[in-house]
C-alpha cells in the first residue's frame, strides 16, 4: 500500500495557520506585502505570477505587480528592484524566472535586498542556509520538508537521495536535509546528469526526491520497497487533452505505486506546497522588517 501524500491538504493547513499569523501582524498595524515582477511574455510565467497573487489575496497579503517589457534594457529591471527595496509596504520581492537572456539572472538575485528575498536565492540567504542559520528557506525545498513532517516521515538517520542539483531545488534541499536539526539529520546523496548508475543510488534510499525535469523516468526498479518518493517534477507532455498537453512528474506513478511506502502526486503534491511556503516567507519577512513577533506554522 502506497500512502498518497496530499500536498493540497497540507498546503491548505499552512494557509489556514498563516491567516492567524497575519491577524497577529494586523493587530500591530502591519499588513504583509509581496511584490511580483514579471519581465517575460511566457504564458506559463504569467500563470505562475497570477496564481501567486491569488494566493496572497486568499490569506490577506497585499500584493503589487510590476510588468516590464521583455525587450526593455536590463536596467529597467534593476531599477524596479531598487524601488521595491526601499518601499516600506513591500516586505517580499519575487522576480519571476526566467528573465530574458540579456538580463543577468545572478545580478538580479544579488540586487534584491536579502531581507526582502522571499525566494531565498540571494547569496547571503544561501550562505546562511548552508551554515544552518537560515533566514528564508527556498519555497520548494521547504515545502518538501513540511510534507515529510506532516506525514511523520523521519529524516533523522535516513538515507536521502536527491536527483537534481539545481540552485532552486536540489542543492538547497540537500543542505536543509543534512543540517543537524529535527527536520534534517539525513545522510544525503545528490545525483545529477553525470551520476553513474543512478538506479543503484536511488535503490539504496529511504527517501528519494526526484527533481530532474525528465518526465516519468523514475520507475519501480529504481525504488526500494517502502521508500518515500517525493516527485518535484512538473513536465508538460503532449496528450490528447483540450490543451494538447498534460502535466506529469519525474516519477512513473503507475510503476512506483505499490512499491513506494509514500508518494507525492503530480499535480497536488509539491506544487501547492511551493506556493504556500512563499506566503509563509512573506509573513516571516513582514515580521522581521517591522520588528513584530509573529508565530509561524
Ligand atoms: P533544472 O533543469 O535546473 O535541473 C535539473 C537537474 O537534473 C540538473 O541538476 C541535472 O544535473 C539533473 N539531471 C538531468 N538529467 C539527469 C539524469 N538523467 N539523471 C540525474 N540527474 C539529471 O531543474 P529544476 O529547476 O530543479 O526543476 C526540476 C523539475 O522540478 C522540473 O520538472 C521543474 O518543472 C520542477 N519544479 C517543480 C517545482 C514545484 O513546485 N513542484 C518547483 C521547481 C521546479
Amino acid at each position: 500500500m502506497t500512502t498518497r501524500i496530499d500536498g493540497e491538504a497540507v498546503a491548505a493547513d499552512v494557509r489556514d495557520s498563516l491567516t492567524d499569523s497575519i491577524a497577529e501582524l494586523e493587530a500591530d498595524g502591519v499588513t504583509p506585502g509581496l511584490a511580483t515582477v514579471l519581465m517575460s511574455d511566457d504564458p506559463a510565467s504569467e500563470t505562475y505570477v497570477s496564481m501567486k497573487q491569488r494566493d496572497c489575496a486568499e490569506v490577506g497579503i497585499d500584493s503589487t505587480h510590476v510588468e516590464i517589457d521583455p525587450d526593455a534594457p536590463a536596467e529597467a529591471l534593476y531599477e524596479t528592484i531598487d524601488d521595491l527595496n526601499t518601499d516600506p509596504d513591500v516586505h517580499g520581492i519575487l522576480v519571476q524566472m526566467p528573465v530574458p537572456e540579456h538580463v543577468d539572472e545572478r545580478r538580479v538575485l544579488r540586487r534584491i535586498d536579502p531581507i526582502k528575498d522571499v525566494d531565498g536565492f540571494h547569496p547571503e540567504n544561501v550562505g546562511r542556509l548552508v551554515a544552518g542559520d537560515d533566514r528564508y528557506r527556498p519555497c520548494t525545498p521547504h515545502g518538501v520538508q513540511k510534507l515529510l513532517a506532516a506525514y511523520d516521515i523521519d529524516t533523522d538517520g535516513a538515507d536521502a537521495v536527491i536527483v537534481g542539483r539545481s540552485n532552486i531545488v536540489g542543492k538547497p534541499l540537500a543542505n536543509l536535509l543534512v543540517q543537524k536539526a529535527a527536520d534534517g539529520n539525513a545522510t544525503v546523496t545528490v545525483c545529477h546528469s553525470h551520476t553513474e548508475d543512478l538506479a543503484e543510488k536511488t535503490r539504496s534510499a529511504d527517501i528519494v526526491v526526484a527533481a530532474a525535469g525528465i518526465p516519468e523516468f523514475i520507475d519501480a526498479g529504481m525504488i526500494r520497497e517502502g521508500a518515500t518518493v517525493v516527485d518535484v517534477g512538473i513536465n508538460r507532455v503532449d496528450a490528447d487533452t483540450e490543451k494538447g498537453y498534460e502535466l506529469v512528474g519525474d516519477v512513473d506513478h503507475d510503476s512506483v505505486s505499490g512499491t513506494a511506502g509514500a508518494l507525492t502526486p503530480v499535480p497536488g503534491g509539491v506544487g501547492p506546497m511551493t506556493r504556500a511556503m512563499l506566503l509563509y516567507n512573506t509573513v516571516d519577512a513582514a515580521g522581521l522588517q517591522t520588528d513584530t513577533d509573529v508565530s509561524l506554522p
Side-chain angles (χ1 to χ4, degrees), residues 88-126:
D89 294 330
V90 169
H91 304 107
I93 301 171
L94 183 137
V95 178
Q96 184 64 47
M97 298 294 172
V99 287
E101 269 180 20
H102 67 280
V103 179
D104 180 349
E105 181 182 311
R106 289 180 192 217
R107 203 167 150 192
V108 170
L109 299 180
R110 285 197 301 265
R111 193 86 169 206
I112 298 171
D113 185 337
I115 197 80
K116 297 195 176 190
D117 166 41
V118 285
D119 255 340
F121 298 152
H122 187 286
E124 179 181 313
N125 289 324
V126 174

Side-chain angles (χ1 to χ4, degrees), residues 7 39 60 63 65 71 79 126 144 181 194 230 235 238 248 257 285:
M39 190 173 184
S63 68
H65 180 59
D71 295 326
E79 283 164 16
V126 174
V144 170
H194 288 232
V230 177
N235 309 293
D238 293 340
V248 299
S257 293

Side-chain angles (χ1 to χ4, degrees), residues 142-210:
H142 196 183
V144 170
Q145 279 190 305
K146 289 279 185 201
L147 277 182
L148 294 175
Y151 280 78
D152 292 325
I153 294 161
D154 200 1
T155 53
D156 197 324
D159 285 320
V161 170
I162 300 171
V163 185
R165 59 174 159 193
S166 73
N167 288 337
I168 62 169
V169 185
K171 278 193 230 164
L173 181 60
N175 280 289
L176 286 169
L177 291 181
V178 84
Q179 295 297 331
K180 191 166 185 173
D183 51 4
N185 281 328
T187 302
V188 181
T189 304
V190 181
C191 299
H192 48 76
S193 51
H194 288 232
T195 295
E196 294 200 4
D197 205 349
L198 178 67
E200 182 201 20
K201 295 184 172 62
T202 53
R203 267 197 305 269
S204 73
D206 303 305
I207 300 169
V208 176
V209 180

